[in-house]
Amino acid sequence: MQSMSSIKIATGVKDLLSQMKEHPRETYSDVIERLVTERAPDSDGRSLFHIPLWYVRIRDTIHTLDPPIELSCERDNEDFILYNHEYHLLASASNLHEALVEITDEFEENWKDYVEQDIHKLSPGAQLFRQKLISLLSEEYTREI
């Protein structure tokens, strides 16, 4: 058995690590080790890793995405940069929590701009993107649309 040490982590970070578990019995140490080993510097020497976006806010209601959106995360100097090109998401902040809040704001803006608009006023490409956003939420919620 490997030797272990105790560390203190913020509750928010612990919650993020819990969401990143690939199976329920995975330890926090396993999650951290996986994140560190998966992380690879890009050609500019910036570190890159991925975070699943499981929850979004739409009109003050929290929804679970199924499947989650995989966010790429880079550290550039002191900032965290989160992005997903497929869903037109981009945020930058000095800490990961603020960047995730910005990303959920971006998602909500996309929802308002594409899903809550008259479908007949959207271009064919925008209609496809609208369907892609809708497909992330449960059928119960999307039946109302």
Side-chain angles (χ1 to χ4, degrees):
M1 182 175 179
Q2 293 179 333
S3 64
M4 298 289 218
S5 65
S6 294
I7 61 171
K8 290 184 179 183
I9 59 173
T11 303
V13 174
K14 184 178 175 185
D15 293 343
L16 285 172
L17 289 172
S18 292
Q19 292 174 13
M20 295 174 147
K21 287 184 176 185
E22 291 181 345
H23 54 83
R25 297 183 71 186
E26 188 175 26
T27 67
Y28 292 121
S29 180
D30 294 337
V31 174
I32 293 168
E33 182 177 2
R34 182 170 35 83
L35 291 172
V36 170
T37 56
E38 288 177 358
R39 216 174 111 166
D42 67 8
S43 59
D44 295 332
R46 292 183 282 186
S47 58
L48 175 67
F49 56 99
H50 302 279
I51 298 173
L53 179 64
W54 286 96
Y55 305 101
V56 294
R57 181 187 63 250
I58 300 170
R59 301 273 181 219
D60 296 325
T61 302
I62 303 298
H63 299 276
T64 303
L65 299 180
D66 186 26
I69 296 173
E70 185 172 291
L71 301 172
S72 296
C73 182
E74 294 181 14
R75 285 296 305 260
D76 187 25
N77 297 324
E78 298 299 316
D79 288 336
F80 286 92
I81 302 166
L82 298 179
Y83 59 91
N84 178 289
H85 297 297
E86 183 180 2
Y87 291 99
H88 310 178
L89 301 172
L90 174 66
S92 176
S94 60
N95 67 60
L96 194 52
H97 174 75
E98 288 177 17
L100 285 167
V101 168
E102 281 188 35
I103 281 289
T104 58
D105 290 346
E106 287 279 319
F107 184 92
E108 186 173 24
E109 285 302 312
N110 284 343
W111 188 269
K112 289 175 186 175
D113 292 344
Y114 293 93
V115 178
E116 294 180 359
Q117 297 299 316
D118 180 356
I119 192 169
H120 304 293
K121 293 182 180 178
L122 298 174
S123 70
Q127 289 179 20
L128 287 174
F129 185 64
R130 177 184 191 272
Q131 281 308 116
K132 185 180 277 195
L133 291 172
I134 291 170
S135 72
L136 292 168
L137 299 182
S138 70
E139 286 185 32
E140 290 176 23
Y141 180 74
T142 56
R143 269 190 242 132
E144 300 170 11
I145 299 170

